Amino acid sequence: MATKTHSEEHHHDHEEPHIVGNSVYIIVWVALMILTGITVWVARHNFGVFNIVVALGIASIKASIVALFFMHLKYEDKLTWTFALYPLFLLALLIGLTASDVFYRLSP
Amino acid sequence: MEEIAMEDTHSHGHQIDPKVEYSAAKFGMWLFLGTEILLFGGLFAAYAIFRAKYAELFHEQHKELDVTLGAINTVVLIFSSLTMAMGVSAIQRGKRNLLSILLVITILCGIAFGVNKYFEYGAKFEHHLTPGTSIFFALYFMMTGLHMLHVFAGITILTVLLVLNLKGKFSANYNTPIEVGGLYWHLVDLIWIYLFPLLYLIS
Amino acid sequence: MANHTIAETLYVPYLDEKGILSWLLSTDHKRIGIMYLISISTSFLIAGISSLLMRLELIAPGKTIVDAHQYNVLFTFHGTVMVFFFIVPGLAASLGNFLIPLMIGARDVAFPKLNLGSYWLYLLGATILLISLLKPADTGWTFYTPYSIKTGTDVILLTTGIFILGMSSILTGLNFIVTIHKLRAPGMTWHRLNLFVWASYATAILQLLATPVVGITLLLLIMERVFGIGFFDPAKGGDPILFQNFFWFYSHPAVYIMILPAFGVISEIIPVFSRKPIFGYKAMAYSLLAIALISFLVWAHHMFVSGMSEVAATIFSFLTMLVAIPTAIKVFNWTATLYKGSIQLHSAMLYALSLIFLFTIGGLTGVFLGSLAVDVHLHDTYFVVAHMHYVMIGGTVMGFFGALHFWYPKMFGKMFNEKVAKVAWALIFIGFNVTFFPQFILGTLGMPRRYADYPPEFHSLHELSTIGSLILGIGVFIMTVNLLRGLTNGEKAPENPYNSVSLEWQVPSPPPHENFEKIPVVTDYPYVYGKKNTQEG
């Protein structure tokens, strides 16, 4: 989670921009490349239902890495975290509750 | 409520404290990224439902897509994210010329992505695969098309930032637009990270 | 309380600059608020006239003034304009813009230029709507597939206009959230915010995060018509009910985008005219957020008879009941605030009291409709029409009119004629009930909505409803004339005519361009009335 947290009531001491070293970025990039390679490799083999699980799992890891480091989410306050995660929750709701209609409709 | 003199400048113009401005701009962009995720959300929801419903069709038709081109575009886009992130660090250290170079590379990556996509779409149309062909291709064109629009928007933003940087607007002290514009560019990357396996790698 | 030390030095009211461009290019949140106010009021009056035409058609069975297709066009126009051009941007954009910075002690919103951009987007959307009237759509404001795919009318243009309005709405919401988080004056903690600000915050979250989904839905509808992508077309393996799921994912939270600002408004009016602190401030604040959060969970109660799955319908029926809890907390707290207060029946207060009364009817009939079994009988009847109007007119519009009368002196620096305002209120209140109460009965008897004709046995109730709508129309007309006359003929308004302790009343009327000469330091919440002078906790 965020390394720096700011209490809501003290919104006037704002954070300085956090400068991340290029070495961190290079490591992150290498990791992203390796993960991309793994995704492509996995897709060429049949693991049944695990294919989609692995594909989405890896995509989520990659997305998290991009958000945490490239987008500096790691260094953001709780407020930013809240508004970064809440849309994902709503997305899950949209997919989940719509599916609860569509799939129970198809196979009662 | 008491009113106490707080500010020396109370004339016209709404000078906001630069630190507040920085934090507000960044927060505002995060909020905007949330709306973008939900804009794509409708497509992701439709994808989830139709893929579960027509697993066979998705598997068959995804073979029409070129995994190599998709993979190249993934590499290109992730690389552009890297250069963007390094650009932000560069200007935060005051290295204006380095930022210009990195922005140019990022923009070129974006254009390369677009060119790649242009050939990909062209090949599909040649084979008479259009948005009306099937649910799968409808999803393919809608998702990649909407994403492509965001790539174009990103390229436009970065080009404006490049011009401003060449004019010397940014420095170690003031670089909020670079960081905020960068956030937008990373979102384009984020969404592609999901689109690639969902569309090109269905097994 | 404020030391009245303002107004000495170089006070220039924000209204002073003249010329249309000084408005259209202004980034002053107050001017943008007023421009929204003019735009939404115009939309409201035009859409109101279209509803009077519909009621005239329904005064007797058979064709009276319009044919069936024209009737379809009328209710589509009425619904679209009322929903997307009046009530969704409505109170949030007009009052929110005017009041939020004043209430939190800021000079403007966080992104003033973006704010003006939002307004331009609104104008662009409105222009596109007007062009679409060359071949006006007949789908109803919900654009349900498959009809909206097939109809020959101009659905694409209209939905494009609404898509652009959606962008306007998103950017307004974004601006307000950032403003409320980042620009509060020193000492303005979350628990010292006006409840209107809390309501605007909850609304803004909905605007920000629900609107994109309707955006993509309308985009998919457009693509369906242009490319035949088939998402909503069963012939191509698509699912028409998917459209409804997506549409209501936005449009149910949108109901709260419409009503929450009105809740905020009357939470400001009632303490001032009861001379009592608002009862249960924190419960009020958090129930607003709770409504916003729960509103995302209940969308499918609009779809119980659409052929959706029964499992999902049961889940959604249960979840719908949850919304009643925070809403009931609010009604209870308003009533408790009135209890033993020294009530002054100012016209704004009359509208606020009307809201409590009428919204309660609207809300409770909503519970009927949210109950799965009852809804099967009442769905798509006039019961729904009546319920919706009790919530939207009885709730939002009463809040809107209340706000107009309440903040009028602050906005324009003038007073309106209070006696005429009361007469107009009485006509509106009576006219509204005579129009819509019979519709509950009509619906229960089985009169379906959206028909230009009906069997003779419904004649007398329809006739009554039409008479009511004319009274309502006359009331709104008198109110409008009274408020407009106040602009030119009204007395000069004092800085704080109601002795409110809220921050926006501590600046001159109308406020200067920069709002505050000096940014205030806030020491208490804005409902310190009567003996108890501080907020506990």
Side-chain angles (χ1 to χ4, degrees):
Chain A
M1 287 294 287
T3 51
K4 280 208 255 175
T5 51
H6 290 263
S7 135
E8 272 291 309
E9 305 303 335
H10 299 96
H11 63 286
H12 272 277
D13 44 318
H14 290 281
E15 75 271 50
E16 293 292 324
H18 194 282
I19 306 182
V20 181
N22 281 341
S23 55
V24 175
Y25 287 143
I26 303 279
I27 294 168
V28 165
W29 178 70
V30 171
L32 288 170
M33 285 295 103
I34 293 171
L35 287 169
T36 307
I38 296 176
T39 323
V40 176
W41 181 81
V42 169
R44 288 166 194 264
H45 299 77
N46 187 9
F47 298 109
V49 73
F50 285 103
N51 276 98
I52 180 81
V53 176
V54 172
L56 284 179
I58 293 180
S60 299
I61 294 170
K62 285 165 72 181
S64 310
I65 294 177
V66 170
L68 285 173
F69 296 99
F70 283 172
M71 302 171 83
H72 300 179
L73 188 55
K74 189 167 182 284
Y75 316 104
E76 295 292 348
D77 53 13
K78 272 184 192 159
L79 176 65
T80 310
W81 273 83
T82 309
F83 278 94
L85 294 181
Y86 189 53
L88 300 179
F89 167 71
L90 291 180
L91 179 59
L93 269 183
L94 173 65
I95 296 175
L97 284 173
T98 305
S100 84
D101 165 29
V102 175
F103 295 117
Y104 283 98
R105 180 146 39 95
L106 292 174
S107 47
Chain B
M1 294 177 197
E2 283 178 77
E3 292 175 10
I4 297 169
M6 265 293 296
E7 290 188 341
D8 299 330
T9 51
H10 53 262
S11 58
H12 281 273
H14 308 276
Q15 299 99 334
I16 303 179
D17 175 4
K19 281 185 181 171
V20 177
E21 199 186 350
Y22 168 73
S23 137
K26 212 167 56 169
F27 180 47
M29 182 46 92
W30 274 102
L31 294 184
F32 187 72
L33 299 188
T35 72
E36 292 281 22
I37 287 171
L38 285 161
L39 181 73
F40 277 92
L43 290 170
F44 283 119
Y47 177 91
I49 282 154
F50 289 127
R51 175 156 177 187
K53 217 168 162 183
Y54 306 117
E56 295 283 295
L57 174 100
F58 272 57
H59 181 61
E60 280 312 308
Q61 298 200 330
H62 103 280
K63 290 175 183 162
E64 302 280 346
L65 302 185
D66 192 329
V67 180
T68 316
L69 279 182
I72 291 173
N73 261 351
T74 309
V75 173
V76 167
L77 219 49
I78 291 179
F79 184 70
S80 77
S81 249
L82 171 69
T83 53
M84 186 68 237
M86 289 167 73
V88 173
S89 291
I91 194 66
Q92 284 171 345
R93 293 196 178 89
K95 296 175 182 170
R96 200 175 288 155
N97 292 336
L98 183 58
L99 170 64
S100 291
I101 295 168
L102 287 165
L103 276 178
V104 169
I105 298 175
T106 312
I107 292 168
L108 287 178
C109 284
I111 293 173
F113 181 93
V115 171
N116 210 339
K117 207 82 215 143
Y118 171 79
F119 285 116
E120 222 187 318
Y121 279 175
K124 296 291 160 298
F125 289 136
E126 256 175 48
H127 292 91
H128 302 289
L129 298 169
T130 63
T133 304
S134 70
I135 293 278
F136 176 77
F137 277 101
L139 274 167
Y140 166 76
F141 279 105
M142 285 303 298
M143 291 174 116
T144 57
L146 190 62
H147 178 258
M148 200 60 230
L149 283 179
H150 284 79
V151 174
F152 287 142
I155 291 175
T156 313
I157 292 169
L158 295 185
T159 310
V160 172
L161 292 178
L162 176 64
V163 171
L164 290 177
N165 188 48
L166 290 173
K167 285 184 181 169
K169 297 270 182 197
F170 303 121
S171 64
N173 292 325
Y174 176 68
N175 47 50
T176 310
I178 300 287
E179 190 168 348
V180 171
L183 280 177
Y184 185 82
W185 187 255
H186 293 306
L187 176 88
V188 172
D189 188 22
L190 272 188
I191 290 179
W192 184 258
I193 283 174
Y194 280 94
L195 293 189
F196 176 57
L198 286 179
L199 294 170
Y200 291 80
L201 304 174
I202 302 173
S203 41
Chain C
M1 290 292 296
N3 308 328
H4 293 261
T5 53
I6 318 166
E8 304 288 328
T9 50
L10 286 174
Y11 158 56
V12 183
Y14 79 103
L15 289 169
D16 266 18
E17 215 179 327
K18 303 289 177 208
I20 185 93
L21 281 182
S22 78
W23 284 88
L24 285 175
L25 298 177
S26 170
T27 55
D28 184 333
H29 67 98
K30 298 180 289 302
R31 287 194 160 215
I32 293 173
I34 297 296
M35 287 195 286
Y36 272 115
L37 192 64
I38 295 167
S39 310
I40 62 162
S41 305
T42 313
S43 305
F44 173 75
L45 293 176
I46 295 173
I49 290 169
S50 74
S51 69
L52 286 180
L53 292 176
M54 280 150 68
R55 280 314 322 167
L56 280 178
E57 163 59 32
L58 293 170
I59 197 166
K63 188 185 165 192
T64 37
I65 57 167
V66 292
D67 64 24
H69 174 72
Q70 286 164 335
Y71 185 83
N72 292 350
V73 167
L74 272 179
F75 74 65
T76 303
F77 178 81
H78 171 76
T80 317
V81 175
M82 279 295 189
V83 170
F84 295 107
F85 290 82
F86 165 62
I87 208 164
V88 165
L91 280 66
S94 61
L95 300 174
N97 258 310
F98 191 91
L99 293 172
I100 290 172
L102 286 170
M103 284 176 165
I104 66 169
R107 297 206 187 280
D108 206 320
V109 293
F111 311 113
K113 283 181 192 158
L114 186 70
N115 199 17
L116 180 62
S118 304
Y119 180 68
W120 285 351
L121 284 173
Y122 175 91
L123 284 187
L124 179 64
T127 313
I128 294 179
L129 165 93
L130 287 179
I131 299 172
S132 85
L133 289 181
L134 292 174
K135 218 167 146 195
D138 61 347
T139 56
W141 73 276
T142 49
F143 307 106
Y144 271 12
T145 54
Y147 184 70
S148 56
I149 301 169
K150 290 178 184 161
T151 173
T153 55
D154 212 334
V155 173
I156 293 183
L157 214 49
L158 182 56
T159 45
T160 308
I162 292 168
F163 185 87
I164 291 169
L165 283 182
M167 288 159 61
S168 160
S169 185
I170 288 173
L171 295 177
T172 302
L174 188 155
N175 223 331
F176 288 175
I177 294 177
V178 178
T179 306
I180 296 168
H181 271 289
K182 304 285 181 183
L183 298 188
R184 301 194 309 277
M188 181 58 92
T189 60
W190 282 87
H191 289 150
R192 289 176 187 164
L193 287 174
N194 285 74
L195 286 169
F196 179 78
V197 177
W198 275 97
S200 301
Y201 182 76
T203 310
I205 290 177
L206 297 176
Q207 286 180 300
L208 184 79
L209 296 176
T211 319
V213 177
V214 82
I216 190 72
T217 311
L218 296 178
L219 199 61
L220 289 175
L221 177 60
I222 294 170
M223 290 297 138
E224 182 89 49
R225 284 182 72 102
V226 177
F227 294 114
I229 56 173
F231 282 18
F232 308 129
D233 184 353
K236 291 179 178 159
D239 179 358
I241 303 175
L242 188 63
F243 177 88
Q244 297 185 21
N245 273 308
F246 285 1
F247 183 82
W248 290 111
F249 182 87
Y250 164 75
S251 295
H252 194 77
V255 172
Y256 298 96
I257 295 177
M258 306 171 194
I259 192 73
L260 289 183
F263 287 176
V265 165
I266 74 159
S267 304
E268 301 300 328
I269 296 176
I270 289 175
V272 170
F273 293 117
S274 307
R275 309 312 297 172
K276 271 185 68 193
I278 188 92
F279 184 87
Y281 170 84
K282 286 183 188 172
M284 291 298 257
Y286 291 109
S287 63
L288 286 165
L289 279 188
I291 293 173
L293 301 185
I294 298 171
S295 71
F296 279 107
L297 302 172
V298 303
W299 79 77
H301 66 221
H302 295 267
M303 301 160 51
F304 286 158
V305 299
S306 68
M308 73 181 295
S309 96
E310 285 173 17
V311 176
T314 314
I315 297 172
F316 276 107
S317 183
F318 169 74
L319 289 172
T320 298
M321 298 305 147
L322 292 180
V323 191
I325 299 167
T327 317
I329 290 175
K330 306 201 75 63
V331 172
F332 178 85
N333 285 2
W334 289 322
T335 320
T337 307
L338 294 169
Y339 179 67
K340 288 192 172 173
S342 356
I343 292 171
Q344 300 161 32
L345 289 179
H346 184 267
S347 50
M349 185 65 162
L350 290 172
Y351 284 111
L353 295 175
S354 311
L355 186 148
I356 301 180
F357 179 67
L358 300 174
F359 180 81
T360 305
I361 297 176
L364 288 174
T365 50
V367 174
F368 297 8
L369 291 168
S371 312
L372 189 47
V374 184
D375 183 64
V376 172
H377 176 69
L378 295 174
H379 198 95
D380 272 346
T381 67
Y382 264 62
F383 193 89
V384 175
V385 178
H387 155 70
M388 198 179 98
H389 286 87
Y390 264 83
V391 176
M392 297 289 104
I393 300 184
T396 311
V397 176
M398 289 299 158
F400 178 55
F401 290 170
L404 278 181
H405 289 84
F406 187 64
W407 281 293
Y408 186 93
K410 184 55 62 187
M411 287 176 167
F412 304 109
K414 294 285 176 77
M415 302 298 274
F416 51 84
N417 185 322
E418 173 66 19
K419 274 181 193 155
V420 179
K422 285 200 173 101
V423 171
W425 167 81
L427 287 172
I428 290 171
F429 186 81
I430 294 165
F432 168 77
N433 283 295
V434 175
T435 312
F436 291 102
F437 199 82
Q439 297 189 1
F440 280 125
I441 304 167
L442 277 170
T444 319
L445 292 173
M447 170 76 204
R449 68 197 281 205
R450 295 183 171 175
Y451 279 81
D453 198 3
Y454 51 84
E457 63 261 35
F458 294 141
H459 185 187
S460 53
L461 283 170
H462 266 301
E463 203 172 39
L464 188 60
S465 180
T466 302
I467 292 168
S469 71
L470 293 173
I471 301 173
L472 177 58
I474 293 167
V476 172
F477 178 76
I478 294 175
M479 183 198 80
T480 311
V481 171
N482 185 38
L483 291 181
L484 289 177
R485 269 178 60 86
L487 291 181
T488 50
N489 298 6
E491 283 172 38
K492 196 176 172 337
E495 183 174 303
N496 189 357
Y498 323 121
N499 291 321
S500 165
V501 295
S502 178
L503 201 50
E504 82 274 19
W505 291 107
Q506 316 310 323
V507 299
S509 309
H513 175 61
E514 63 271 31
N515 294 351
F516 303 94
E517 194 189 15
K518 288 160 190 160
I519 293 291
V521 173
V522 181
T523 54
D524 208 337
Y525 84 153
Y527 305 104
V528 192
Y529 295 104
K531 288 176 202 162
K532 227 173 156 189
N533 258 326
T534 45
Q535 175 205 17
E536 66 275 64

